[in-house]
Amino acid sequence: ACLMASPALVADCIDAMKQAVDIPVTVKTRIGIDEQDSYQFLLDFVGPIAEKGCRTFIIHARKAWLNGLSPAENRTIPPLKWETAYRLKQDFPQLEIILNGGIKTTAQINDALQHLDGVMVGREAYQNPYFLAQVERDVFGTTDVRSRHGVVDALMPYVEKNLQNGTPLKDISRHILGLFQGMGGARRWRQILSSEAYKPAAGMDVIRAALAAVDDGGS
Ligand SMILES: Cc1cc2nc3c(=O)[nH]c(=O)nc-3n(C[C@H](O)[C@H](O)[C@H](O)COP(=O)(O)O)c2cc1C
């Protein structure tokens, strides 16, 4: 985030990167740093970079305090200002502006998409991965999304293949600990996976046992 104080340097870096690669070069930024949190400060950052041909900006719509807050605190304490990203899209309609920060519902996504080009979801996708299925249904309009149990069934061949290759079960299971968030038995699912999957010989049975402990709620 400290690079927000050096827009000319960032613009030069983006220019050099664009010349070196043939994939899009994008910029992800906060909306301000420390006391420098005016809208003009953000404009002065985005403007020179856009002039170098960067088309896509992902806006984590809160400022960062460079001193005094940990990285984790800097993801929760500075207030979210989604409207700043909306305003940026109005001022740079030719740019692709993507909103990031605190998005937890598909209604929020659909609302944001009225104002700008896309959203980036971080923690919600990790803590509650079934959110991505809800996005598939509510944002992309897919009607036949898998149930949570269906997701695990579909994951099983991948688990089997990777166990055979020597990957410890915990390296896979840790990413699905939150899959049943909000459903009956979610705690048990999490408990079984987080205790049993860490044992050296842990195999597919651990996932099957955890799966047997949770309702699918018909979803
Ligand atoms: C564990 C963790 C690591 C992160 N590392 C980075 C990083 O290296 N670069 C970055 O731009 N953002 C990083 N972020 C921030 C996220 O990309 C995102 O901007 C932030 O979490 C806000 O979005 P969210 O509320 O949807 O999670 C990280 C977030 C978390 C939780």
Side-chain angles (χ1 to χ4, degrees):
C2 63
L3 281 170
M4 279 198 88
S6 310
L9 172 64
V10 176
D12 284 347
C13 291
I14 295 297
D15 196 25
M17 283 186 247
K18 278 182 65 68
Q19 286 175 34
V21 298
D22 53 15
I23 54 173
V25 178
T26 65
V27 166
K28 177 163 175 278
T29 182
R30 299 281 183 136
I31 57 174
I33 42 172
D34 297 332
E35 305 296 346
Q36 296 174 293
D37 58 1
S38 68
Y39 182 63
Q40 188 61 46
F41 180 71
L42 179 63
L43 286 183
D44 291 344
F45 179 71
V46 169
I49 301 169
E51 269 171 34
K52 298 286 187 183
C54 178
R55 245 202 95 238
T56 302
F57 289 80
I58 299 120
I59 308 297
H60 182 180
R62 52 161 62 93
K63 73 169 173 180
W65 289 101
L66 297 181
N67 291 306
L69 291 188
S70 68
E73 288 169 334
N74 253 322
R75 289 193 289 269
T76 52
I77 293 176
L80 285 164
K81 297 189 175 173
W82 292 345
E83 62 283 0
T84 301
Y86 300 165
R87 188 172 169 192
L88 197 63
K89 176 64 188 178
Q90 280 176 357
D91 288 339
F92 292 92
Q94 75 282 13
L95 297 182
E96 184 177 52
I97 303 292
I98 300 188
L99 176 67
N100 169 243
I103 293 163
K104 286 174 171 286
T105 70
T106 56
Q108 289 169 334
I109 294 176
N110 282 326
D111 183 56
L113 291 177
Q114 305 286 319
H115 301 277
L116 36 66
D117 303 295
V119 300
M120 174 187 278
V121 176
R123 287 164 293 185
E124 189 63 16
Y126 193 69
Q127 291 160 10
N128 172 25
Y130 199 71
F131 183 59
L132 295 177
Q134 291 159 347
V135 169
E136 194 61 46
R137 189 189 59 210
D138 299 347
V139 179
F140 293 104
T142 306
T143 48
D144 57 345
V145 294
R146 286 194 170 99
S147 67
R148 292 170 176 81
H149 277 250
V151 169
V152 179
D153 289 343
L155 186 67
M156 285 305 218
Y158 175 86
V159 176
E160 188 169 23
K161 187 171 131 229
N162 282 279
L163 287 176
Q164 280 164 5
N165 292 342
T167 304
L169 183 64
K170 67 177 171 57
D171 288 0
I172 303 170
S173 62
R174 63 197 288 260
H175 302 292
I176 51 171
L177 284 178
L179 184 61
F180 286 88
Q181 199 191 85
M183 311 296 291
R187 215 166 136 247
R188 191 79 193 107
W189 161 265
R190 190 175 267 280
Q191 263 172 359
I192 294 173
L193 286 189
S194 45
S195 57
E196 300 302 316
Y198 280 73
K199 295 182 177 164
M204 312 272 287
D205 287 352
V206 172
I207 297 194
R208 288 196 197 97
L211 202 54
V214 280
D215 302 335
D216 208 6
S219 67

